[in-house]
Amino acid sequence: MEQEESNACALVLTGGGARAAYQVGVIKAIAECYPRGHHIPFPILCGTSAGAINTTGLACYASCFHLGVRKLEYVWRHLHTEDILRLQLGRVAWHSLKGMMLDLIGRPTQTRLSLFDNSPLERLLERLIDFQRIDNNLLYGALEVLAVTASNYDTGDSTTFFQGRPYHQPWARAGRSGRSAVIAPPHLLASCALPFVFKPCRLQNHHYGDGSIHQLNPLSPAIHLGARKILIISLASEEAEPGVLPSDPSSSDIAGHLLDTIFTDALTSDIERLQRINSTIKLVPERKREQLSLRHIDNLVLKPSKNLDDLTLNHFHKLPLNIRGLLRLFGVNAGDATGLASFLLFEQDYCQELIELGYKDTHARLEEVCRFLLVDEPLRKTG
């Protein structure tokens, strides 16, 4: 089995909280197309929110694709909610009471409220990710660039921090920009800082939050960084009905709908835009294509065959008691299939089910994936 060498294939992973375990199953199936010891077939890695953590994990082991996937899978298969976040209702209640008291005496107050403390996630990142390996993989040619996107609350821009080879240059467009950086835990925490869930992160004198909020063009970083083809793992299921709410939606339904909008709608629109541009370029005579600032970019989208909300039904009771209590305030009960719970269900059984689904879905399309990656034929499962 041989792969045609290409330095312009990008992997784009979006956010979705605990749902990002699905991405690991997809990548695991793709890894079986390559022999052990093979480098990662995606030298351009672009991630947002939870997807940024997965791409960074892969970047650390870019010289050995199988090893990177195994380490990533091990972490997700052994996760518990307390490894990622801790509910701080007492602190929220105190700040709310303090704010009301200050209002009564006419004193202005600025309170930064966040329901969860992300210090467990910070400790997990520092313990499990060897960021120095990214630089080593760049130096020895196993990786071309790693990009992590966050939302700049001070400017309203979508900011992509990238660590790559010297020829990768910063960019600035309307509402989005790219900055060279040495990727570290603060960049990942910023990319994952969903408003009101986690506190904003301060980077380079700016405050940043979840990268999906202002990211109207999720494929833009990969294109700016030179991608000629892009493999996209979407977390929007094929059978879900986007934008549809019950006739009498609960707070949970609305919250889940908003999260789906943040994490999936922009990606869906950007994929349609890319495909439309590709179709337009085909109509332009070949001798005039060089005059265009646009280029054809092959793309392949992999997405769940099942609605990921439905998979929460058997796992809701495994959430910590205080988080289940909070979700019930939003109208989430154990018998509900809800997007809100699926974002917070960092429990190993739920994550394992998502990994298995991603693996199964990708195996069903493995020949198509191999053609896209220019692999002659898939290898048999190696164990």
Side-chain angles (χ1 to χ4, degrees):
M1 179 206 70
E2 296 292 336
Q3 180 200 15
E4 182 178 312
E5 290 297 320
S6 172
N7 290 323
C9 185
L11 174 66
V12 172
L13 302 183
T14 59
R19 294 178 175 193
Y22 178 86
Q23 298 168 350
V24 179
V26 174
I27 297 166
K28 178 183 177 181
I30 293 174
E32 292 183 359
C33 296
Y34 297 89
R36 294 189 182 279
H38 197 282
H39 57 78
I40 192 168
F42 311 104
I44 301 173
L45 292 169
C46 300
T48 302
S49 196
I53 295 176
N54 284 340
T55 52
T56 302
L58 291 172
C60 291
Y61 295 92
S63 60
C64 184
F65 189 27
H66 277 265
L67 180 59
V69 173
R70 284 202 306 271
K71 287 185 173 291
L72 201 59
E73 182 184 9
Y74 179 86
V75 173
W76 279 98
R77 283 188 178 275
H78 294 83
L79 266 187
H80 292 287
T81 304
E82 56 265 27
D83 296 326
I84 304 296
L85 49 86
R86 184 172 62 237
L87 186 61
Q88 45 186 16
L89 276 181
R91 184 180 176 189
V92 173
W94 161 245
H95 279 293
S96 299
L97 179 60
K98 180 181 176 182
M100 287 189 291
M101 293 173 64
L102 290 173
D103 285 341
L104 287 174
I105 62 176
R107 289 179 55 187
T109 179
Q110 287 187 339
T111 303
R112 295 176 182 173
L113 285 179
S114 53
L115 286 171
F116 297 98
D117 174 19
N118 65 350
S119 58
L121 174 59
E122 183 176 11
R123 290 192 295 270
L124 183 70
L125 294 175
E126 291 175 346
R127 188 172 75 250
L128 295 178
I129 298 182
D130 183 357
F131 290 87
Q132 180 59 45
R133 295 181 66 99
I134 300 172
D135 218 20
N136 294 340
N137 285 321
L138 288 168
L139 179 64
Y140 294 109
L143 180 68
E144 188 170 315
V145 61
L146 167 67
V148 172
T149 299
S151 297
N152 189 324
Y153 287 149
D154 298 327
T155 65
D157 288 347
S158 174
T159 302
T160 298
F161 299 97
F162 65 89
Q163 183 175 350
R165 298 184 186 178
Y167 50 79
H168 290 294
Q169 297 297 314
W171 67 87
R173 298 290 187 273
R176 61 189 190 275
S177 62
R179 298 183 183 181
S180 179
V182 177
I183 302 300
H187 298 94
L188 301 184
L189 292 172
S191 186
C192 295
L194 196 65
F196 304 111
V197 176
F198 292 137
K199 64 182 179 181
C201 294
R202 188 173 178 84
L203 285 170
Q204 301 175 353
N205 296 320
H206 288 273
H207 292 92
Y208 290 89
D210 195 288
S212 302
I213 299 168
H214 292 142
Q215 196 176 38
L216 300 179
N217 305 96
L219 304 182
S220 174
I223 295 170
H224 277 291
L225 293 169
R228 295 289 177 175
K229 55 169 55 178
I230 304 174
L231 190 143
I232 306 145
I233 303 179
S234 171
L235 299 177
S237 89
E238 294 177 346
E239 65 179 35
E241 297 183 52
V244 177
L245 281 172
S247 56
D248 186 19
S250 66
S251 299
S252 167
D253 293 324
I254 295 171
H257 176 76
L258 290 175
L259 289 172
D260 281 332
T261 299
I262 290 172
F263 287 118
T264 63
D265 285 8
L267 177 62
T268 301
S269 297
D270 212 20
I271 292 170
E272 289 180 354
R273 186 183 303 111
L274 177 63
Q275 293 171 346
R276 190 164 59 248
I277 290 172
N278 284 343
S279 298
T280 301
I281 290 174
K282 288 181 180 179
L283 300 176
V284 178
E286 195 167 334
R287 63 180 183 277
K288 293 185 177 181
R289 290 182 185 179
E290 293 182 1
Q291 302 173 11
L292 296 175
S293 59
L294 304 174
R295 66 176 185 269
H296 180 93
I297 297 175
D298 291 332
N299 61 95
L300 178 64
V301 183
L302 302 176
K303 58 176 56 179
S305 59
K306 296 181 180 179
N307 189 333
L308 300 187
D309 293 354
D310 295 340
L311 302 185
T312 65
L313 293 174
N314 296 325
H315 304 286
F316 181 82
H317 67 281
K318 295 167 187 171
L319 278 168
L321 182 61
N322 55 359
I323 294 180
R324 280 182 296 176
L326 174 67
L327 290 174
R328 286 194 174 100
L329 291 177
F330 286 91
V332 181
N333 296 304
D336 297 335
T338 171
L340 184 56
S342 70
F343 286 94
L344 299 176
L345 247 169
F346 292 98
E347 292 296 326
Q348 59 181 14
D349 290 344
Y350 177 64
C351 293
Q352 288 173 13
E353 188 170 352
L354 290 179
I355 291 171
E356 296 303 329
L357 179 63
Y359 181 82
K360 179 181 177 182
D361 288 347
T362 307
H363 253 279
R365 299 178 60 185
L366 201 55
E367 290 187 5
E368 181 184 1
V369 171
C370 288
R371 285 196 301 271
F372 180 79
L373 295 175
L374 306 179
V375 175
D376 290 338
E377 62 181 28
L379 293 176
R380 294 292 180 184
K381 186 173 179 179
T382 54

